[in-house]
């Protein structure tokens, strides 16, 4: 057994026994972990190891898990509908940049804000939306551009701004760095650190290992739907099982 | 050659027809763009709207007048639409084969609605009153008041719908969810509620259209089939790139139908319409007014 580090005391998010199968394939197999408030927990694993499926199962977007318990702030939430989870403070992004293509950048975020208790008059919502876009470093001159017309990186920022606008306590980021340039990855790293400064706990799936180990407090590795390592990033990347999962050979 | 008076009468009839088709197509498109399914019961909703309207309005029934019938059909079909969605669409929502599943369930729903009409109101055809009587004299030509009222009511309804979609919180959320369901869930929108609402609104608008159809033709349980077909042609012709694109196409179809009825004959009109649709599909597969992107 790999060393499963004990769940931090007073975990903000604790997941236990999450399982999701597609037909005969166990995409996520009995996954358990917990994260402390303000922690960044990285998730690595080869292609198809079940990382995105884990996010999908936890947030119930777009499907439910087969079995498992999700405790958010001490309360079981695995049966709450997706929008209630979002309202409680569990927000996510997708691997592909997922936005409302015909709406402007700022309208994208306004739609999110209108769902929250913070929402109010349209003017106030515009202000809050602009704040969220500022936080993620979206250029102010492009606020009124249709999302469809924006480059990938900016669409990702709009998506992250929409999630942040919900004022979450835990943010699930699914491969935010995929298809970004090294320069953009640097900006993303700064953004992730800034979000942590703001007090968010972040669950971060990433293939760019160097980004992942750079910002994560702890690192979890999935292989074929199972947790094969969880702990200190520097230790985890040297774990023989992890090396084997990534390189396909025993060390 | 047709006389000017005839021309005006045929044109205004065409515009009135077009207005009804616009209502129908807007309702169909609302469900198609948000839920991504085609509702084959939309025609049955028209019939239900007409019969509920008749029940409230007609002197043989409650006798409360046509205005009350309009309101009743709208509200009644809104409720029926939501129940229909909960029972026949929602259970299949997350299945990968939702589109085929809903072809079957909405067809079944249509059959149930039509049988219910038969059971409740009997097969004998009924007729709703005209919205208004008489003609207005515009100096050069005269127009039936009922056509004008119809066009005004449809214009007001579509205008209100447009306002709702662009200016209200719920309307904006509906537009958003029609563009990308997952983005909507990410942004914290209550997608199941918005879907139910879209279905209810779509049915309510069909109910309203039913009142108008019931004023033009005799009411039968299957009276919605022909308008549904026309609305389908409208949606394909116009595309659904914008909320307004089916409206232009609807007016076009109304005109073509009206003039074709006069010149080519009643029985040839569907052929003319389908020919037009096929030509458009050849030349501009995404419809006359834009592309098939799903958005309200
Ligand atoms: N909706 C689905 N239906 C069927 N199989 C699925 C579905 N989603 C994921 N899978 C399968 O489940 C397994 C895990 O997929 P998942 O997307 O979670 O992997 P991942 O770790 O996110 O991979 P990547 O790094 O490529 O994003 C894969 O074998 C995938 O094919
Ligand atoms: Mg993935």
């Amino acid at each position: 057994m790999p060393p499963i580090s004990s769940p931090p005391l007073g975990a903000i998010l604790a997941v236990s026994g999450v399982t999701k199968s597609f037909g005969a394939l166990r995409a996520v197999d009995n996954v358990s972990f917990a994260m402390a408030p303000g922690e960044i927990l990285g998730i690595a694993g080869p292609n198809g190891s079940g990382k995105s499926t884990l996010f999908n199962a936890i947030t119930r977007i777009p499907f439910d898990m087969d079995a498992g318990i999700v405790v958010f702030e001490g309360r079981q939430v695995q049966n709450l509908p997706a929008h209630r989870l979002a309202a409680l403070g569990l927000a996510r992004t997708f691997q592909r940049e997922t936005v409302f293509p015909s709406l402007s950048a700022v309208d994208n975020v306004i739609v999110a804000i209108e769902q929250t208790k913070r929402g109010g008059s349209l003017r106030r919502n515009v202000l809050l939306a602009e704040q969220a876009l500022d936080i993620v470093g979206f250029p102010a001159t492009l606020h009124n551009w249709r999302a469809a017309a924006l480059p990938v990186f900016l669409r990702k920022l709009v998506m992250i701004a929409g999630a942040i606008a919900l004022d979450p306590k835990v943010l699930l980021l699914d491969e935010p760095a995929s298809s970004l340039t090294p320069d953009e990855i640097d900006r993303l790293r700064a953004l992730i650190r800034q979000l942590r400064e703001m007090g968010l706990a972040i669950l971060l799936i990433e293939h760019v290992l160097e980004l992942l180990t750079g910002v994560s407090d702890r690192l979890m590795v999935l292989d074929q739907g199972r947790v094969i390592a969880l702990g200190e990033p520097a230790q985890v990347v040297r774990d023989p099982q992890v090396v084997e999962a990534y390189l396909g050979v025993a060390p | 050659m047709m006389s000017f008076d005839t021309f005006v009468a045929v044109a205004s009839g065409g515009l009135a027809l077009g207005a009804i088709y616009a209502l129908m197509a807007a309702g169909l498109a609302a469900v198609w763009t948000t839920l991504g399914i085609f509702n084959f019961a939309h025609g049955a909703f028209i019939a239900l709207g007409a019969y509920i309207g008749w029940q409230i309005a007609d002197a043989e029934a409650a006798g409360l007048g046509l205005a009350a019938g309009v309101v009743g059909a709208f509200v009644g079909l809104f409720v029926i639409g939501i129940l229909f969605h909960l029972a026949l669409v929602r259970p299949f929502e997350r299945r990968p084969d939702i589109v085929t599943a809903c072809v079957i369930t909405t067809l079944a729903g249509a059959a149930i609605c039509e049988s219910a009409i038969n059971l409740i109101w009997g097969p004998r055809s009924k007729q709703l009153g005209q919205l208004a009587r008489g003609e207005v004299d515009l100096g050069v030509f005269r127009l039936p008041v009922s056509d004008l009222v119809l066009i005004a009511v449809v214009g007001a309804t579509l205008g209100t719908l447009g306002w709702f979609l662009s200016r209200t919180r719920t309307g904006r959320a509906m537009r958003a969810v029609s563009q990308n369901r997952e983005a909507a869930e990410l942004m914290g929108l209550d997608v199941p509620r918005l879907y139910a609402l879209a279905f209810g609104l779509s049915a309510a608008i069909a109910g309203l259209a039913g009142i108008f159809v019931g004023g033009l033709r005799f009411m039968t349980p299957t009276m919605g089939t022909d308008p549904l077909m026309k609305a389908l042609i409208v949606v394909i012709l116009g595309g659904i790139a914008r909320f307004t694109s089916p409206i232009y196409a609807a007016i076009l179809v109304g005109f073509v139908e009206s003039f074709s009825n006069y010149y080519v004959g009643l029985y040839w009109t569907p052929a003319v319409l389908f020919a037009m649709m096929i030509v458009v599909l050849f030349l501009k597969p995404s419809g006359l007014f834009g592309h098939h992107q799903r958005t309200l």
Side-chain angles (χ1 to χ4, degrees):
Chain A
M1 274 295 285
I4 302 277
S5 66
S6 58
L9 218 62
I12 186 156
L13 177 70
V15 164
S16 91
V18 170
T19 298
K20 173 75 190 177
S21 302
F22 300 107
L25 172 77
R26 281 210 160 197
V28 172
D29 190 358
N30 197 18
V31 168
S32 306
F33 65 89
M35 52 193 304
E39 180 184 19
I40 298 185
L41 175 58
I43 303 181
N47 286 317
S49 55
K51 306 181 295 295
S52 297
T53 304
L54 177 64
F55 272 20
N56 295 345
I58 293 174
T59 58
R60 305 185 72 187
I61 308 171
F63 45 66
D64 293 346
M65 59 178 94
D66 300 334
I69 291 171
V70 179
V71 177
F72 182 69
E73 291 195 301
R75 170 174 174 205
Q76 285 204 21
V77 295
Q78 70 273 11
N79 293 322
L80 292 185
H83 72 278
R84 293 269 301 118
L85 269 176
L88 282 179
L90 186 68
R92 73 167 295 179
T93 64
F94 292 93
Q95 194 161 339
R96 287 194 47 201
E97 62 285 1
T98 303
V99 293
F100 305 123
S102 319
L103 299 189
S104 70
V106 70
D107 281 347
N108 261 274
V109 185
I110 287 175
V111 168
I113 285 170
E114 283 178 332
Q115 309 308 312
T116 66
K117 289 200 198 73
R118 296 191 302 151
S121 68
L122 190 57
R123 179 174 304 168
R124 178 183 156 78
N125 295 347
V126 172
L127 225 64
L128 288 172
E130 286 174 346
Q131 265 173 24
L133 286 169
D134 283 348
I135 289 175
V136 301
F138 186 93
T141 48
L142 302 181
H143 279 187
N144 292 318
W145 278 44
R146 274 160 40 97
L150 296 169
V152 178
F153 179 55
L154 294 184
R155 263 181 286 157
K156 286 203 169 191
L157 290 186
V158 169
M159 171 171 72
I160 297 174
I164 289 175
L166 298 173
D167 201 15
K169 295 168 183 133
V170 175
L171 182 59
L172 278 54
L173 295 172
D174 192 348
E175 291 195 34
S178 68
S179 60
L180 297 191
T181 65
D183 215 37
E184 292 164 345
I185 292 179
D186 284 342
R187 288 173 60 186
L188 184 70
R189 179 183 299 117
L191 171 59
I192 292 172
R193 290 199 168 124
Q194 182 194 344
L195 292 177
R196 193 239 302 267
E197 295 297 304
M198 291 166 52
L200 270 77
I202 298 173
L203 197 54
L204 174 66
I205 296 178
E206 199 37 83
H207 268 301
V208 181
L209 261 186
E210 161 285 305
L211 169 64
L212 195 56
T213 50
V215 299
S216 300
D217 299 307
R218 289 186 303 150
L219 184 60
M220 174 163 92
V221 180
L222 292 184
D223 186 32
Q224 298 179 37
R226 280 188 296 271
V227 180
I228 58 167
L230 173 59
E232 191 73 35
Q235 263 173 359
V236 166
V237 292
R238 272 185 272 114
D239 185 300
Q241 254 191 296
V242 173
V243 175
E244 188 191 336
Y246 266 93
L247 302 176
V249 288
Chain B
M1 232 354 252
M2 80 204 302
S3 73
F4 184 67
D5 279 355
T6 320
F7 175 83
V8 170
V10 172
S12 97
L15 196 59
L17 266 184
I20 294 178
Y21 296 158
L23 269 192
M24 293 222 37
L28 260 188
V31 163
W32 166 249
T33 51
T34 38
L35 286 85
I37 62 156
F38 188 82
N39 176 21
F40 283 94
H42 206 73
F45 287 170
I46 290 201
L48 273 176
Y51 278 87
I52 291 175
W54 180 89
Q55 185 67 45
I56 294 172
D58 201 85
E60 284 178 44
L64 296 176
L66 203 54
V70 168
V71 175
F74 191 85
V75 175
L77 263 291
F78 182 76
V79 174
I80 290 172
I82 287 181
L83 295 177
F84 190 98
H85 171 251
L86 292 181
L88 295 175
V89 178
R90 170 81 61 85
F92 309 96
E93 205 172 274
R94 287 222 141 138
R95 284 173 44 162
D97 59 346
I98 173 161
V99 175
T100 18
C102 287
V103 168
I104 296 161
T105 57
T106 60
L107 273 176
I112 293 169
C113 291
E114 287 169 7
S115 307
I117 292 173
N118 242 325
L119 277 175
I120 299 172
W121 287 284
R124 253 191 59 204
S125 55
K126 311 190 179 316
Q127 192 161 28
L128 269 166
Q130 289 280 316
L131 289 168
R133 301 201 178 282
E135 293 188 323
V136 282
D137 201 335
L138 293 175
V140 206
F141 51 81
R142 300 150 68 80
L143 281 177
V145 182
S146 60
D147 282 1
L148 292 180
V149 171
L150 192 158
I151 292 162
V153 172
V154 170
T157 308
L158 292 177
T160 309
L161 186 63
W163 171 85
F164 168 77
L165 288 174
S166 60
R167 292 275 174 269
T168 67
R169 208 187 81 149
T170 309
R172 276 194 294 270
M174 270 175 64
R175 268 171 61 210
V177 78
S178 75
Q179 292 180 25
N180 189 320
R181 176 186 178 139
E182 290 183 341
E185 289 179 311
L186 180 158
M187 309 279 188
L189 272 62
D190 184 350
V191 174
R193 182 178 141 267
L194 291 168
Y195 277 9
L197 206 62
F199 219 99
L201 261 183
S202 160
I205 295 170
L208 196 61
I211 298 262
F212 299 139
V213 177
L216 288 182
R217 301 174 189 164
F218 281 107
M219 291 159 49
T220 65
T222 55
M223 63 185 276
T225 311
D226 176 67
L228 174 64
M229 186 89 81
K230 301 291 165 48
L232 183 59
I233 295 178
V234 165
V235 168
I236 292 173
L237 262 185
I240 46 174
R242 267 168 222 285
F243 167 67
T244 44
S245 28
I247 298 176
Y248 304 129
I251 292 168
L252 181 69
V253 168
F255 272 121
V256 170
E257 176 170 347
S258 195
F259 280 95
S260 156
N261 278 347
Y262 188 83
Y263 277 115
V264 195
L266 195 62
Y267 292 104
W268 282 99
T269 298
V272 170
L273 288 174
F274 275 110
M276 183 168 85
M277 185 180 89
I278 289 166
V279 170
V280 168
L281 280 181
F282 259 117
L283 299 180
K284 199 160 183 291
S286 52
L288 284 176
F289 306 103
H291 37 99
H292 271 307
Q293 194 190 12
R294 272 171 53 181
T295 163
L296 264 185

